[in-house]
Amino acid sequence: MSSSRGSLPRYIAIRLLLIIPMMWVLLTFVFFLLRIAPGDPVTAAAGGKLSAEEIARRQAALGLDRPLLTQYLDYLGDVVRFQFGNALSDGTPVTSLIRDHGGATLTLTVGAFLFAVAVGVPLGRWAGRHRDTAIDAPIRILGIVVYAAPIFWVGILLIIAVDNVLPSWPTSGIASPTAIYEIPTRTHILLVDAVLSGDYVLDVLQHHVLPCLVLGMLLSGVIIRLVRINVIQSMQADYVEAARARGIAERKVVRDHAFRNALVPVVTVIGLQVALTLSGAVLTENTFNWPGLGTDLVDYVLARDYVAVQGLVTFFALVVVVVSVVVDVINALIDPRVRY
């Protein structure tokens, strides 16, 4: 019987092996998508500012004069060695950008996730339990509105509102200039460094509130709708009716039977929202002048620095693939039916 259900170690092993084709497809897509753009990175970034000889020299230095297949194989080899190239516009290694600014994007996305789960899960459960009632309707509308509202628009409105109501509350940046200067760099994650040093923790947390709130609102809309529909479906299941027939209190039925089983697909979908979070982080960081990778990506796109853009997009793709595998493994641990 157990063999027919599959093996958890075999499932995990297969999922890990599937990383290879997933990564190959993603990297191939990123490489050729950027090559579709007209011109080459050097001409796009510095065309009109340099002589034709200097442009040709830089193209040769970057290997852009070689056949496309050779460039593609070199690109795959560099990614395997975690080498994402150097920005054309300022010469900064992309790995240095990830090290120095990845922490800001990490704390932003983690904070947004915590906010979204803290708000979305209880509201979705409440709406699902009270389906088609006066409680359900406003929560459903809230879920649609916060998901559909543009992040940059919500962010700008919040900045204006907070400036009027709480003028002393920070609405831009990751910390005050004094805190950024005085907090010693240990992990390149400013919030962690502030905790380790014991100074400016409140200052850094205050700066995180609005960006995490705005980005978290986008995710909470997805979670509200997802939890609600899964709770509704679980409430109609036979095992829930059996629990009611045994005289178990309705609150206990929802908590121990319907809600717990409804969380299985929710965990999977929440994990897959990482891609949505990263895309939202790009807009959120630019709205709040946040020194993260999203801001870097926009700056390099505006500078037409295709090498830096390719490196950062590749890194984002790697993060999404790794997180999707982790989510699949967690889902398998939760649900014994998920096996090969």
Side-chain angles (χ1 to χ4, degrees):
M1 184 68 179
S2 58
S3 60
S4 64
R5 292 179 177 176
S7 164
L8 178 59
R10 183 172 61 183
Y11 173 81
I12 295 175
I14 293 175
R15 287 298 293 118
L16 292 177
L17 288 175
L18 286 175
I19 290 178
I20 298 174
M22 289 172 62
M23 293 296 302
W24 176 70
V25 171
L26 272 173
L27 296 177
T28 302
F29 181 76
V30 170
F31 178 84
F32 286 103
L33 182 64
L34 289 175
R35 295 307 185 278
I36 293 175
D40 61 87
V42 177
T43 305
K49 303 176 185 176
L50 301 174
S51 63
E53 293 75 14
E54 178 62 19
I55 289 178
R57 189 190 66 78
R58 294 192 179 190
Q59 289 174 341
L62 291 171
L64 298 176
D65 57 343
R66 291 178 293 174
L68 188 61
L69 179 59
T70 305
Q71 296 180 43
Y72 172 64
L73 295 176
D74 288 344
Y75 166 68
L76 294 181
D78 289 341
V79 173
V80 170
R81 297 192 299 272
F82 291 98
Q83 297 296 326
F84 301 107
N86 298 338
L88 290 174
S89 54
D90 55 17
T92 305
V94 175
T95 50
S96 297
L97 292 173
I98 296 170
R99 181 198 61 196
D100 296 337
H101 299 166
T105 300
L106 176 66
T107 55
L108 171 63
T109 52
V110 170
F113 251 104
L114 293 177
F115 172 82
V117 172
V119 172
V121 171
L123 285 181
R125 171 182 168 176
W126 204 21
R129 182 184 176 188
H130 301 282
R131 177 187 183 184
D132 297 332
T133 65
I135 295 175
D136 181 28
I139 296 177
R140 291 172 62 186
I141 294 174
L142 175 66
I144 296 172
V145 170
V146 296
Y147 178 71
I151 287 181
F152 62 91
W153 179 73
V154 175
I156 292 172
L157 288 182
L158 269 179
I159 291 173
I160 295 173
V162 171
D163 275 339
N164 289 326
V165 178
L166 294 171
S168 61
W169 193 270
T171 57
S172 178
I174 192 172
S176 64
T178 305
I180 295 175
Y181 179 76
E182 295 192 1
I183 295 175
T185 301
R186 297 176 182 173
T187 64
H188 293 279
I189 302 175
L190 188 62
L191 181 58
V192 176
D193 289 341
V195 173
L196 293 177
S197 66
D199 293 326
Y200 299 105
V201 177
L202 182 60
D203 180 276
V204 177
L205 285 175
Q206 286 179 329
H207 281 78
H208 274 72
V209 170
L210 286 184
C212 292
L213 174 64
V214 171
L215 184 56
M217 286 173 62
L218 170 70
L219 298 174
S220 66
V222 179
I223 295 175
I224 287 173
R225 295 170 59 81
L226 190 62
V227 172
R228 175 185 175 276
I229 191 64
N230 280 283
V231 168
I232 289 174
Q233 292 176 351
S234 296
M235 294 284 285
Q236 298 170 347
D238 291 341
Y239 58 84
V240 172
E241 293 297 332
R244 287 174 175 149
R246 293 199 300 271
I248 300 175
E250 183 68 13
R251 177 173 297 182
K252 189 174 176 60
V253 169
V254 174
R255 184 190 63 200
D256 294 346
H257 297 273
F259 180 63
R260 184 171 298 178
N261 287 282
L263 282 182
V264 174
V266 173
V267 170
T268 302
V269 176
I270 288 177
L272 296 178
Q273 296 303 311
V274 171
L276 176 64
T277 308
L278 290 176
S279 63
V282 174
L283 296 173
T284 306
E285 290 181 3
N286 277 271
T287 303
F288 291 94
N289 194 27
W290 196 261
L293 294 177
T295 299
D296 290 337
L297 182 61
V298 173
D299 291 342
Y300 285 121
V301 168
L302 295 177
R304 306 185 70 181
D305 191 331
Y306 292 172
V307 175
V309 172
Q310 176 179 276
L312 290 174
V313 172
T314 300
F315 175 72
F316 284 149
L318 292 174
V319 171
V320 172
V321 168
V322 171
V323 171
S324 68
V325 173
V326 172
V327 169
D328 284 347
V329 172
I330 293 174
N331 194 25
L333 293 174
I334 296 174
D335 189 352
R337 296 171 298 180
V338 181
R339 298 287 190 276
Y340 287 140

